[in-house]
Amino acid sequence: MKKVIRVFTVIIAAAVSAVMALVCVGDALLPPEIVSYSDGDISFGKIYGVATGESSQVDFRSDVPVSGVAGEIKLFGAVPVKSADVEQLSEKKVAVSGECFGIKLYTDGIIVVGTRDVDTPQGRVNPANAAGIEKGDIIISINGVNMYSAAEVEEAFNSNNGEEYEVKIRRNGNYKTIPLTPVYSPSEGRYKVGVWVRDSTAGIGTMTFYNPENGTLAALGHPITDVDTNEIMPLLNGEAVRATVTKLYQSEEGDAGSICCEFTNDVIGTLTENSEWGIYGKYAGGCDESRLYIVASPQEVERGAAQILCTVDGDGPAFYDVEITRISYNSASGKNLVIRVTDKNLTEKTGGIIQGMSGSPIIQNGKLVGALTHVVVDNPGKGYGVFAEKMVAESEKLK
């Protein structure tokens, strides 16, 4: 009898330990805020469910969207894991694209991308650095005159006889006026302040979807950052133009590869937002109803087979097989999903994921679940993705 009791005790202890381990894992990995477009129960991996109030499930029978309902995630419907804020929204449909397009951005203010030393009779000095100007600062005005282009900044700084400037900058959302005194450079025959600036950028990416509810487009799934400062570029305005694929550089270990495109003059949208969830703007094209897909809630995404829609040749967007190998509800922007390319045809064409594919829609179980965002440079057969729900929410913020 004692032996039976000992065995039973060991089994109970193991079961309790397993349950506690699952509770700890759920508490760490599951989100404190839950958005659902579904009319069914909310569950994560079939073992974690969400309960609100005294009910064991969320009531989705009402036609009125529910926002901010206090809920609780439970293990096996019984063991509390963590509190959650539940937001139920009406079903969303967007038209997926997969089209490669050209991006032209103009910054809101002039970005300081670096400072440099100036040769003077007294030696090398750095006036901008000495004045307190830093890489990443946004120049708003010089001597009270607003600056709208890098050329205007350069002209203002080059038209000087050594007198002090009053430079108004924006840094981390705060404004500051900095006195800046240029120094004379005999080698260049004029006064210099030692600052490099940029006011625009261009590149290519993939359009994720067009939202017919508000006429917006969404692309990339990650922000456009300045190549020198690594900061999100403050967007004043921009254009999305059609582009034609001209060449591919295959990815390989240590080299992400890239898509090369030729821009056309066909403007398909204006760009108004550059955020951590991608770039957004007003779409000028038509809506292909055959490309309308229901948007999946994050908890609907599963590990396993999926497809990406992207353009890697002159034939336009095509579907390619991938596998979702990992799902993270609390990860940094752009890395909610880990994607592995399983399509031999795509691997033969590109070597895996390459630059320019960012924004490619990810389709699973007939729904839009996310967008491709980054390539794993050391293993280009793998990449990251962002939840589609994040991008749809961002697109709905646009006026």
Side-chain angles (χ1 to χ4, degrees):
M1 184 66 180
K2 290 183 179 179
K3 184 176 181 181
V4 172
I5 293 174
R6 284 198 299 270
V7 172
F8 184 72
T9 302
V10 170
I11 293 174
I12 293 297
V16 171
S17 297
V19 169
M20 292 306 297
L22 289 172
V23 169
C24 292
V25 168
D27 182 52
L29 300 183
L30 299 180
E33 297 178 351
I34 299 170
V35 174
S36 180
Y37 302 129
S38 171
D39 59 359
D41 299 342
I42 299 176
S43 63
F44 297 87
K46 299 181 181 180
I47 63 172
Y48 300 100
V50 179
T52 59
E54 297 179 356
S55 173
S56 61
Q57 61 185 22
V58 180
D59 185 0
F60 287 101
R61 290 170 294 180
S62 171
D63 292 331
V64 180
V66 178
S67 179
V69 175
E72 188 171 37
I73 300 175
K74 292 186 177 182
L75 176 65
F76 303 125
V79 183
V81 175
K82 69 190 298 183
S83 297
D85 184 58
V86 180
E87 185 175 18
Q88 184 235 333
L89 301 173
S90 57
E91 182 180 274
K92 308 289 183 182
K93 275 189 176 182
V94 296
V96 300
S97 174
E99 180 181 356
C100 202
F101 73 107
I103 302 165
K104 300 177 182 179
L105 295 187
Y106 301 92
T107 60
D108 182 14
I110 316 305
I111 302 174
V112 175
V113 298
T115 61
R116 67 181 181 89
D117 291 342
V118 179
D119 288 319
T120 74
Q122 292 75 36
R124 297 174 65 84
V125 296
N126 191 320
N129 185 271
I133 291 178
E134 300 176 1
K135 184 168 74 171
D137 286 346
I138 308 297
I139 296 176
I140 304 299
S141 66
I142 298 174
N143 292 338
V145 179
N146 289 339
M147 297 289 109
Y148 298 102
S149 69
E152 290 180 338
V153 170
E154 291 173 2
E155 182 179 357
F157 282 150
N158 288 333
S159 303
N160 188 277
N161 58 4
E163 296 178 353
E164 182 181 89
Y165 292 104
E166 293 291 323
V167 182
K168 184 178 181 180
I169 61 135
R170 184 174 68 242
R171 181 186 300 163
N172 299 324
N174 299 314
Y175 291 86
K176 183 178 182 180
T177 298
I178 296 177
L180 172 60
T181 304
V183 295
Y184 187 73
S185 171
S187 61
E188 298 192 42
R190 58 188 175 187
Y191 285 87
K192 304 290 292 183
V193 297
V195 64
W196 286 325
V197 295
R198 179 179 293 124
D199 63 2
S200 63
T201 190
I204 61 169
T206 299
M207 190 181 302
T208 308
F209 62 80
Y210 157 65
N211 190 338
E213 285 190 6
N214 60 4
T216 58
L217 65 84
L220 298 188
H222 65 74
I224 294 178
T225 57
D226 184 82
V227 67
D228 293 295
T229 68
N230 205 33
E231 299 287 332
I232 296 178
M233 295 190 70
L235 178 60
L236 177 63
N237 56 59
E239 287 183 339
V241 300
R242 294 198 189 280
T244 303
V245 176
T246 57
K247 189 175 183 179
L248 294 179
Y249 290 97
Q250 286 199 342
S251 60
E252 55 187 34
E253 187 175 339
D255 184 354
S258 63
I259 300 173
C260 295
C261 288
E262 181 178 327
F263 287 16
T264 71
N265 294 321
D266 185 5
V267 177
I268 57 176
T270 56
L271 302 175
T272 58
E273 182 182 356
N274 180 26
S275 80
E276 61 178 330
W277 306 112
I279 59 173
Y280 301 83
K282 200 71 176 178
Y283 187 54
C287 178
D288 182 353
E289 293 193 0
S290 68
R291 290 285 175 86
L292 285 173
Y293 279 77
I294 295 172
V295 179
S297 307
Q299 61 273 9
E300 294 181 84
V301 186
E302 303 172 350
R303 292 184 182 182
Q307 289 185 310
I308 59 172
L309 179 62
C310 60
T311 302
V312 294
D313 54 35
D315 294 331
F319 286 99
Y320 298 96
D321 294 330
V322 298
E323 179 186 8
I324 298 174
T325 61
R326 193 171 67 192
I327 301 169
S328 177
Y329 302 100
N330 299 317
S331 289
S333 60
K335 294 186 177 181
N336 298 122
L337 308 172
V338 176
I339 307 297
R340 183 174 69 89
V341 175
T342 58
D343 197 297
K344 292 183 179 180
N345 188 25
L346 182 61
T347 302
E348 288 175 359
K349 288 181 178 181
T350 65
I353 298 168
I354 59 178
Q355 295 179 78
M357 289 170 62
S358 294
S360 299
I362 304 170
I363 308 297
Q364 185 183 63
N365 297 326
K367 292 186 177 184
L368 173 66
V369 300
L372 193 66
T373 57
H374 301 83
V375 59
V376 178
V377 177
D378 292 336
N379 184 359
K382 291 185 177 181
Y384 296 100
V386 63
F387 288 133
E389 177 268 325
K390 298 289 187 184
M391 296 184 69
V392 170
E394 198 72 13
S395 75
E396 292 181 336
K397 293 178 183 178
L398 299 187
K399 297 180 180 179

